[in-house]
Amino acid sequence: MDTYSEQISRWTLNHLPARITEALNSLAAFERLAADMSHRLAALPARPDHVPTLTGRRLLVDLGFWGSALVRLALVHSRTDAVLDSTTAGDLSFRHYYARLAAQSASGHPPWQSFTSIIIWNVPTVEVRLDGDLHSRSEGIFDGPLVRTWTGTASEVMLWELFKVGAALGSAANRSLEPIVSGAVSAMSEESLSRLLASHAFLRSFRQRMVNFSRGQDPRGEFSIDVFMNQIRQFGVPWQSKAEAPSGPHDVESLARDAIFGMPQIRHEQWRRDRSGSMMSAEGKRLEQAADAPTLAEVIQRSVAKTRPFDDLTVSVLVAAHDIYEERRKLSAAHYGIARKMLYRPQRAQSSDRAGIPTLAVDNSQGITGMSDHDVQRFDHARRVNPLENVLAALPSDEISHARSLIQESLSTHSVSITLRHPGTATSCAQA
């Protein structure tokens, strides 16, 4: 790591959370922090045009945390000046320096902090294996195991890890299904059945991890709802108008999953389009491709129409496809359960008693991307629809039961393992 990048990274890890806490309680401390940041940024190349690619990406992570901290603090202290324009880096404003870094990084990164910079690049590398075989790898870009945060809390680290592990599991699940959806793999084949079962195992593992997270089963302790609502979420501030702050809805794998399974009851296409401006350019293109492809159910239904009579393999594929829609429903319910527990219910209780609550930069009555409890519930209801219900209803119940018992037996033998590692070292490993 270049010396100037090392210094920025070390200061972000060791000093940023404490300086933010101090600045939240004092306008003078906020002004000192902004001035100190400008001083430290002066050590960077005056213009980022020739910053090495990896160094540029590391700076996008660290400076992303700086930028959102500055915006939040300016809102808390009712400062009307554009803090990202008045804070300087080299001979550019912070805002323009960051945008130039994003362009120089050759990654398609937007000109403001993103889900990728907070989560994917920040958290150590995540590997997802099924029965020992690698199915997904999401790279971190730093050499050590430490995760950058605004709050310096275990809760924030746990949240970023959950997001990244979820994205990696989502990638493994989606990649298993995409050859079926694209037609590269025949829907009524042994390989299709194997891919359906693998995807099911990955989604189930993701759901189990969300349930465990909600129940406070992490060895580092229970996730703090207060830290989430009144500290972590408060940095979810857009850097400019028409830009969204990074949030879970910017996870490309979650959006791709909805495209693969279908969201017929709501205007999901517009929802996806609204997110794309704050995502990596390659992610936006991938989502367009997923949206243009048929859904899994459509592919299965078309194949069924051409298949008569149904042999044991066909019945097994139909049951497996139906049941993966059920697993998708359970995963959505787990997500909605976390949103209610961690945000919507506490917000209603908190709104009646604001005593001792710090000034908010972000409204806790809705998600970072503006979704209310009702909006999230609508998405959950749309994901409950199983378009293969009628297909399965036409099959003899004894054939369904037999196929399902074989499928459950196969699923029970699958072992999904998650490894978090930085170069040369596995930092944690979990089985699901």
Side-chain angles (χ1 to χ4, degrees), residues 62-85:
D62 285 309
L63 299 189
F65 278 86
W66 291 26
S68 292
L70 287 170
V71 176
R72 182 205 173 177
L73 291 166
L75 290 170
V76 166
H77 291 295
S78 301
R79 295 293 295 266
T80 57
D81 61 319
V83 65
L84 298 185
D85 294 319

Side-chain angles (χ1 to χ4, degrees), residues 106-120:
S107 63
H109 194 286
W112 45 75
Q113 191 180 41
S114 71
F115 183 90
T116 293
S117 57
I118 292 180
I119 310 296
I120 305 302

Side-chain angles (χ1 to χ4, degrees), residues 61 78 116 166 182 184 233 255 265 269 288-289 350 372 394:
V61 177
S78 301
T116 293
S182 70
R233 286 194 83 247
L255 291 164
Q265 295 179 333
E269 183 178 347
E288 289 178 7
Q289 293 173 345
Q350 190 182 89
S372 66

